[in-house]
Amino acid sequence: REERGRGVGMGRAKGAPRGKKVTSVRIGTDVFEVGNTVSLRPPGPEGDTSPFVAKIYEMGEDPSEGVQCRVSWFYRPEEAHGGRKAFHGEKELFTSNHYDWVAATSINGSCKVHTLKAYQALGQVKESDYFVRFSYKADTGEFKPDRVPVYCMCEMPYNPDLFMVECEGCDEWYHPECLQLTKAEVERMNHFVCPDCTQKHLKESRTNSTGNKGNKQAPGSGGGPAAAAGNKKPRLG
């Protein structure tokens, strides 16, 4: 977040502290240790309140400035080269190779940065919960990985904030709106089969008609509803 001066105005030391190394620091009633992920107060203009997020890599006690923390910053999509895309989740961050020394007194509190898979498994997402799936080189603007799986007919990478439904025929995942459906309509379905699989199934039925009557399940349906009220997620590689 260069435009807000990441590290600037946060009591940043010019280099490593001159005093002894420490492994923890007490801020109020909370204790923060090396290895913790923390939120830090932004030094930007009033009203710009979204916190910085960083991981503490080392600490040192400076005789004149108190405890300083060497942190690795997490970037939000809008802070990185290329900006925020439609597939970026609201709580998505990027790990980065951007390090700074900052004053321990700028720490707001603890937070958790999960893998995407762990984030999907959360029963409740708290304000302090985030997730990462990309690393970002702040000096070059490069991302790793540079490719991820895409889903739906829109061919967009998975966004955990957007509801998706799995086709029982081909196991592909779709956004209801891309099929001119609503989430409510999908949730009322006992089975979901995408348009391509529906057409394929109809052609096979006409070609190989056996005269059997009664309810037929979509190919590979497994007998259960595919749309689980928002808690089914695409399986990422």
Side-chain angles (χ1 to χ4, degrees), residues 15 27 35 98 105 108 111 113 123 125 128 138-139 196-197 208 224 228:
I27 307 293
H98 182 174
T105 53
N108 261 342
C111 57
V113 179
V125 177
S128 58
D139 52 343
D196 286 345
C197 287
N208 303 311

Side-chain angles (χ1 to χ4, degrees), residues 151-154 164-176 178-181 186 189-203 217-221 226-227:
Y151 301 91
C152 188
M153 57 201 307
C154 65
M164 299 189 80
V165 58
E166 183 183 28
C167 171
E168 297 179 6
C170 62
D171 298 328
E172 181 59 274
W173 290 83
Y174 292 89
H175 303 107
C178 291
L179 303 173
Q180 286 75 54
L181 296 170
V186 169
M189 295 178 179
N190 289 324
H191 303 281
F192 172 78
V193 181
C194 74
D196 286 345
C197 287
T198 298
Q199 289 298 320
K200 180 180 178 181
H201 186 57
L202 288 174
K203 289 180 180 179
Q217 294 179 347
S221 65

Side-chain angles (χ1 to χ4, degrees), residues 21 29 38 57 77 105 115 132 134 141 153 198:
K21 286 189 175 183
T29 58
V38 296
Y57 271 84
T105 53
T115 64
V132 294
F134 298 103
M153 57 201 307
T198 298

Side-chain angles (χ1 to χ4, degrees), residues 108-122:
N108 261 342
S110 296
C111 57
K112 294 182 179 180
V113 179
H114 308 269
T115 64
L116 176 57
K117 184 176 181 180
Y119 182 83
Q120 289 174 253
L122 293 176

Side-chain angles (χ1 to χ4, degrees), residues 14-35:
K14 293 182 179 179
R18 296 185 296 274
K20 65 179 180 179
K21 286 189 175 183
V22 295
T23 58
S24 65
V25 61
R26 179 178 293 275
I27 307 293
T29 58
D30 297 318
V31 175
F32 301 96
E33 300 178 342
V34 171

Side-chain angles (χ1 to χ4, degrees), residues 87-134:
F87 62 86
H88 289 137
E90 180 184 354
K91 304 301 291 292
E92 184 159 5
L93 301 174
F94 308 145
T95 60
S96 85
N97 62 344
H98 182 174
Y99 293 83
D100 274 318
W101 283 95
V102 300
T105 53
S106 63
I107 295 175
N108 261 342
S110 296
C111 57
K112 294 182 179 180
V113 179
H114 308 269
T115 64
L116 176 57
K117 184 176 181 180
Y119 182 83
Q120 289 174 253
L122 293 176
Q124 179 181 6
V125 177
K126 300 178 181 178
E127 185 177 354
S128 58
D129 287 315
Y130 300 90
F131 75 90
V132 294
R133 55 178 157 178
F134 298 103

Side-chain angles (χ1 to χ4, degrees), residues 10 12 27 40 52 54 58 69 86 98 110 170 185 217-218 221:
M10 303 175 73
R12 181 177 61 175
I27 307 293
L40 299 102
F52 292 127
E58 58 180 309
C69 302
H98 182 174
S110 296
C170 62
E185 288 173 330
Q217 294 179 347
S221 65

